[in-house]
């Protein structure tokens, strides 16, 4: 039977641990503080930021969503970010993507320093990830959440062939580095990959992060190798329901996965959990910086 890799029990367990950490920090007069900058009215971004705030508050951290007008000028946007960076009480800053077209060329990570980059996208944090040094950097939230998920359900990636579909800087590439660090053999695929079905049929673990509803079907799988499937995709169907990059029903009906993440309720909540974990690390580090 296919195991359903739900996020809920993981989030519940880790929320308790994070709450204990915020209590310890409060004894040192530190309240982890996250600022989320949301430009415009994109409905999906509103939901994502609201969920991030919700979990932050659940662990007794402070979280403010700063909503900026869709037509804010580049200089006003940059100044807003600079002000947040200067505030020593702010431990983490994230800009909710996507940004409106006229702000797309702003290099956010030239403004948000690596120590407040709780998303883990700053080149210094990504560089540390490539080097395999995690102790003084932030690991991007979705890849980190996927590792938490596999660990919770008792799956070790060592020696496994992991096929990742999607090579974005926020999911595919950092996940490939992280999995490699954990001794997986990684094949990173994208839109120009030839013979994708051949590769997925050889996989022990498949991760889809492409943004194409129900893209991965039984034709990508073989009857001899039954993989674990991690579906990162979040897609809106015309009926407003969410679905992943995997044709979940098709795969389940045919019993072609050892385990599979649902959408919603799989990778998404773990991305948010990782953000909360990174925020607490940032707050803890701020104490060492104050003391040194
Ligand atoms: P992205 O930046 O648009 O990248 C998509 C990747 O998929 C690209 O590398 C692209 O290849 C590849 N791709 C597209 N069509 C393909 C095809 N037919 N065959 C093989 N590869 C294909 O996307 P993203 O930001 O990584 O997000 C991907 C999905 O994950 C979206 O649905 C997003 O909403 C979701 N997401 C979810 C979470 C979460 O927490 N659950 C977090 C982040 C993103 P090329 O590079 O060749 O163009």
């Amino acid at each position: 039977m296919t195991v359903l890799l739900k996020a809920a029990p993981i989030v519940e367990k880790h929320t308790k641990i994070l709450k204990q950490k915020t209590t310890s920090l409060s004894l040192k007069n530190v309240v982890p503080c996250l600022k989320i900058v949301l430009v415009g009215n994109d409905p999906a971004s509103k939901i994502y930021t609201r969920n991030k705030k919700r979990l932050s508050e659940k662990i007794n951290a402070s979280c403010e969503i700063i909503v900026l007008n869709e037509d804010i000028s580049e200089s006003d946007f940059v100044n807003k970010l600079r002000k947040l960076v200067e505030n020593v009480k702010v431990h983490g800053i994230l800009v909710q993507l996507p940004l409106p077209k006229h702000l797309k060329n702003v290099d956010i990570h030239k403004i948000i320093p690596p120590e407040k980059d709780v998303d883990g996208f700053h080149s210094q944090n990504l560089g540390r990830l490539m080097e395999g040094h995690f102790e003084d950097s932030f690991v991007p939230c979705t890849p980190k959440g996927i590792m938490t998920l596999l660990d919770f359900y008792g799956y070790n990636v060592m020696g496994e062939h992991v096929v990742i579909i999607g090579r974005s800087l926020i999911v595919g590439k950092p996940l490939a580095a992280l999995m490699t660090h954990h001794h997986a053999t990684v094949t990173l695929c994208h839109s120009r990959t030839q013979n994708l079905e051949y590769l997925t049929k050889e996989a022990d673990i498949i991760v889809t992060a492409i943004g194409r509803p129900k893209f991965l079907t039984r034709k990508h799988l073989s009857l001899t190798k039954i993989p674990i499937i991690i579906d990162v995709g979040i897609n809106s169907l015309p009926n407003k329901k969410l679905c992943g990059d995997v044709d979940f029903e098709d795969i389940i009906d045919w019993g072609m996965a050892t385990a599979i993440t649902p959408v919603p309720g799989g990778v998404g909540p773990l991305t948010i959990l990782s953000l909360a974990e990174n925020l607490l690390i940032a707050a803890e580090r701020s104490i060492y910086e104050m003391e040194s």
Side-chain angles (χ1 to χ4, degrees):
M1 213 181 69
T2 307
V3 177
L4 208 50
L5 303 172
K6 289 187 182 174
I10 313 174
V11 174
E12 193 186 329
K13 178 182 164 196
H14 285 249
T15 301
K16 281 185 194 144
I17 299 167
L18 293 178
K19 248 184 174 171
Q20 285 164 0
K21 285 191 180 175
T22 40
T23 306
S24 307
L25 284 167
S26 70
L27 298 175
K28 294 178 180 171
N29 293 320
V30 173
V31 178
C33 175
L34 174 65
K35 301 286 182 186
I36 301 177
V37 178
L38 172 62
V39 186
N41 288 307
D42 176 53
S45 295
K46 276 187 179 171
I47 295 171
Y48 296 146
T49 52
R50 196 183 60 208
N51 290 344
K52 287 168 186 173
K53 185 174 165 70
R54 207 173 268 163
L55 184 64
S56 303
E57 289 175 348
K58 226 176 182 175
I59 62 163
N60 300 326
S62 141
C63 175
E64 184 189 4
I65 302 171
I66 299 165
V67 183
L68 303 176
N69 263 336
E70 178 97 35
D71 54 4
I72 188 169
S73 70
E74 189 174 318
S75 59
D76 284 352
F77 174 63
V78 169
N79 285 337
K80 277 269 178 208
L81 289 183
R82 289 217 170 103
K83 281 223 168 83
L84 295 177
V85 170
E86 282 160 16
N87 187 342
V88 287
K89 292 207 163 143
V90 173
H91 303 106
I93 305 165
L94 82 81
V95 176
Q96 185 65 42
L97 301 176
L99 282 172
K101 264 194 191 140
H102 70 286
L103 297 178
K104 282 211 167 121
N105 290 331
V106 177
D107 191 345
I108 294 165
H109 295 110
K110 281 225 168 89
I111 307 165
I112 302 173
E115 63 275 13
K116 294 194 180 191
D117 166 45
V118 283
D119 258 340
F121 301 150
H122 191 286
S123 54
Q124 188 171 308
N125 285 320
L126 289 171
R128 298 300 276 164
L129 173 64
M130 294 305 288
E131 290 169 346
H133 294 302
F134 308 113
E135 57 294 336
D136 58 354
S137 65
F138 294 114
V139 175
C141 298
T142 303
K144 181 172 171 156
I146 291 171
M147 299 311 289
T148 305
L149 174 104
L150 290 169
D151 183 54
F152 180 87
Y153 284 99
Y155 297 113
N156 187 345
V157 301
M158 192 192 311
E160 300 287 70
H161 181 201
V162 181
V163 172
I164 302 171
I165 317 175
R167 57 175 163 179
S168 73
L169 208 54
I170 63 168
V171 187
K173 282 180 185 158
L175 181 63
L178 200 54
M179 290 271 190
T180 305
H181 176 77
H182 285 89
H183 310 295
T185 303
V186 178
T187 304
L188 185 56
C189 306
H190 45 78
S191 64
R192 319 271 170 94
T193 298
Q194 303 286 314
N195 294 328
L196 182 66
E197 288 169 33
Y198 168 78
L199 295 167
T200 50
K201 281 178 180 166
E202 290 295 310
D204 299 300
I205 301 174
I206 301 172
V207 182
T208 55
I210 55 180
R212 302 267 182 281
K214 303 188 183 203
F215 172 85
L216 192 104
T217 62
R218 79 182 103 119
K219 76 171 187 195
H220 293 94
L221 307 176
S222 78
L223 283 170
T224 49
K225 206 155 192 178
I226 313 286
I228 296 166
I229 301 178
I230 310 288
D231 190 354
V232 179
I234 303 176
N235 308 292
S236 260
L237 294 172
N239 64 6
K240 305 266 185 240
K241 280 195 171 168
L242 291 182
C243 83
D245 293 338
V246 176
D247 191 337
F248 185 85
E249 284 77 25
D250 192 49
I251 305 287
I252 292 271
D253 285 352
W254 284 76
M256 292 185 89
T258 301
I260 189 167
T261 56
V263 177
V267 175
L270 297 174
T271 298
I272 296 171
L273 176 70
S274 303
L275 175 69
E277 287 174 344
N278 282 351
L279 175 67
L280 260 62
I281 295 170
E284 280 165 353
R285 280 193 199 141
S286 74
I287 298 175
Y288 301 127
E289 274 158 29
M290 279 189 297
E291 287 170 353
S292 63

